Amino acid sequence: MSLRFARTLLVASGIIAIIFIVAACGSGDASPTASGGSASTGDIVVTGAWTRPMTASMPGMSMPSGSPGSMDMGHMTMPSGSPMAMGMDMSVTDAVYFTIKNNGKTADQLLSAAADVAGSTEMHQSTLANGISSMKPVSEVDVPAGGSVSFDPGNYHVMLVGLHRDLNVGDRFDLTLTFKQAGAVKVSVEVRPN
Amino acid sequence: MHWQRRTTLMIGIAALLVVLAGGSAWAAGLVPFANRDTAVHGTAYDANTVAPDFKLEAAGNKPVSLSDYHGDVVLLYFGYTYCPDICPTTLATLARAREALGSKANKVQVIMITVDPQRDTPDRLNAYVQKFDPSFIGLSGSLDQIKQVAAGYGIYFQAQKPNADGGYAVDHTAGVIAIDGQGKQRILESYGTTSEQFTSDIKTLLR
Ligand SMILES: [Cu+2]
């Protein structure tokens, strides 16, 4: 009787363990949030696309009072006639994050990103050295065969420059990622705080 | 029959071990081991380091000094509104940390000082920081003023060369400086500090 009970217990724990393993594997493959955008073309699968909420219009720049016709920015000087110096640059930036998985047997490369919500779209990488953060444009990002690349805060991101509309929590917009092999992959981006 | 029973038993034992290992790892993840006492997560400054006071401009060109917040824990961050990645990540983390403090949150003031005063007017900064938490304030000033304040806190910043569209990024020290209610510069929180770690360190400073 007690042996039978022990066996039942062990079998039950086995079932629980299998559920546990399946759940763990599932969450490993899936996007960080189930609700995040997901898209695939051939061997390339893009999951968990998100960006933070941001207002499209912010008060523009104005010349600091008492400033002469040009501003010295250390290594560069902006003429007072340029659009930025005239207070017309109201552009707002945001960053899009996602995970790219390459299920194929050949390496691929992300070449560009485009979104209607922004004036321009750039691929960037943030780096941190000695506590100092820096951000540089990147022309392409390798996605190895059978591997994946994460676009995460503090690393790779697609930067939206000059938002055309407000991005509010729960909104979605399309982002088109163009790969060397897979071509264009359209991704639905979710707007959420974190 | 015997063979079958042993196999079942072995699978059962293996499964039990997996459950136990997974369960304890999960529990460990929820309960951090380190820094449970008064130790802080960030880097502590030397005792009695006085946070340098400053006078800059908030929304509506209203003058704001650090000393206005005497009695509060001030979280000082140097960043800029055109920064899409590091700065919003940090501000979102600070907003979550503040949220987790409940009623104690009104003793915490987040201040972002721009490292890009050419583009960040006080009003633009204000609109930006309030996207994260309506209590946050953003301060700007002349480039010379900002340089002086940054230097006082050991903060480096340098604008990069502009691209073809005139846009540019600004390299800058990414940490958050925590100042206690007595105006002492207490902790440097590096980029990547979690909201839970911020909450814990803020509680330590509020004690
Ligand atoms: Cu960027």
Side-chain angles (χ1 to χ4, degrees):
Chain A
M1 188 64 189
S2 70
L3 181 74
R4 222 165 148 178
F5 177 72
R7 263 179 66 183
T8 312
L9 198 72
L10 287 170
V11 169
S13 68
I15 292 165
I16 292 166
I18 287 161
I19 292 167
F20 195 91
I21 292 161
V22 167
C25 293
S27 70
D29 277 340
S31 60
T33 43
S35 54
S38 167
S40 64
T41 296
D43 293 329
I44 292 290
V45 182
V46 181
T47 52
W50 69 283
T51 191
R52 290 200 174 85
M54 193 48 69
T55 33
S57 61
M58 276 192 202
M61 192 193 75
S62 61
M63 292 291 282
S65 55
S67 172
S70 67
M71 287 185 292
D72 179 32
M73 304 206 39
H75 57 74
M76 63 175 188
T77 302
M78 247 187 260
S80 59
S82 76
M84 276 171 54
M86 288 169 72
M88 290 164 65
D89 179 32
M90 317 262 264
S91 81
V92 172
T93 64
D94 211 341
V96 186
Y97 307 105
F98 44 80
T99 301
I100 306 166
K101 195 164 190 301
N102 182 357
N103 293 319
K105 290 192 168 63
T106 49
D108 207 340
Q109 272 187 327
L110 174 61
L111 300 176
S112 67
D116 287 343
V117 290
S120 66
T121 312
E122 297 163 19
M123 291 197 291
H124 284 187
Q125 186 174 28
S126 295
T127 53
L128 201 69
N130 301 319
I132 296 162
S133 69
S134 185
M135 189 173 77
K136 299 251 151 52
V138 286
S139 49
E140 71 269 308
V141 176
D142 290 331
V143 190
S148 64
V149 175
S150 287
F151 277 51
D152 284 324
N155 192 0
Y156 287 120
H157 55 272
V158 165
M159 181 159 155
L160 307 172
V161 184
L163 289 182
H164 292 321
R165 61 175 174 90
D166 290 357
L167 299 179
N168 296 311
V169 173
D171 286 356
R172 281 184 173 277
F173 62 88
D174 288 339
L175 176 78
T176 303
L177 300 177
T178 303
F179 293 86
K180 197 171 186 177
Q181 309 294 334
V185 177
K186 203 157 113 180
V187 183
S188 175
V189 180
E190 185 193 0
V191 182
R192 57 181 167 91
N194 296 292
Chain B
M1 192 62 194
H2 255 267
W3 177 84
Q4 224 175 30
R5 188 188 288 175
R6 265 175 64 181
T7 309
T8 311
L9 197 70
M10 276 164 74
I11 291 171
I13 289 166
L16 194 66
L17 287 174
V18 167
V19 168
L20 287 174
S24 44
W26 177 66
L30 282 179
V31 187
F33 297 112
N35 298 311
R36 213 176 293 188
D37 304 321
T38 51
V40 295
H41 294 274
T43 311
Y45 289 103
D46 288 341
N48 293 317
T49 303
V50 176
D53 201 4
F54 51 75
K55 193 175 175 184
L56 294 165
E57 284 181 4
N61 299 325
K62 180 184 149 225
V64 167
S65 295
L66 174 65
S67 49
D68 297 347
Y69 297 96
H70 194 87
D72 290 349
V73 166
V74 171
L75 300 171
L76 196 59
Y77 180 65
F78 291 78
Y80 64 112
T81 68
Y82 286 79
C83 163
D85 184 33
I86 299 283
C87 308
T89 301
T90 303
L91 292 174
T93 304
L94 294 179
R96 263 180 296 152
R98 206 176 159 275
E99 204 180 305
L101 284 166
S103 62
K104 284 179 182 164
N106 59 17
K107 299 297 288 173
V108 178
Q109 181 61 56
V110 171
I111 300 177
M112 172 163 147
I113 296 179
T114 184
V115 291
D116 187 16
Q118 276 77 15
R119 290 184 295 184
D120 287 343
T121 60
D123 287 346
R124 183 184 163 93
L125 269 167
N126 185 56
Y128 181 77
V129 296
Q130 296 211 338
K131 275 306 274 184
F132 299 91
D133 184 323
S135 79
F136 288 7
I137 60 167
L139 301 179
S140 191
S142 72
L143 184 58
D144 281 345
Q145 279 177 299
I146 302 289
K147 274 182 179 167
Q148 200 190 332
V149 176
Y153 284 95
I155 300 291
Y156 165 92
F157 71 95
Q158 177 67 57
Q160 289 180 21
K161 286 199 166 61
N163 63 22
D165 303 324
Y168 57 91
V170 184
D171 297 353
H172 63 98
T173 307
V176 172
I177 294 156
I179 298 163
D180 69 17
Q182 280 68 53
K184 297 277 163 54
Q185 195 175 326
R186 296 283 300 273
I187 310 163
L188 175 64
E189 306 280 6
S190 59
Y191 175 79
T193 300
T194 65
S195 66
E196 291 81 9
Q197 290 170 333
F198 270 112
T199 303
S200 159
D201 282 2
I202 293 165
K203 281 182 179 165
T204 302
L205 296 190
L206 284 172
R207 250 178 234 143

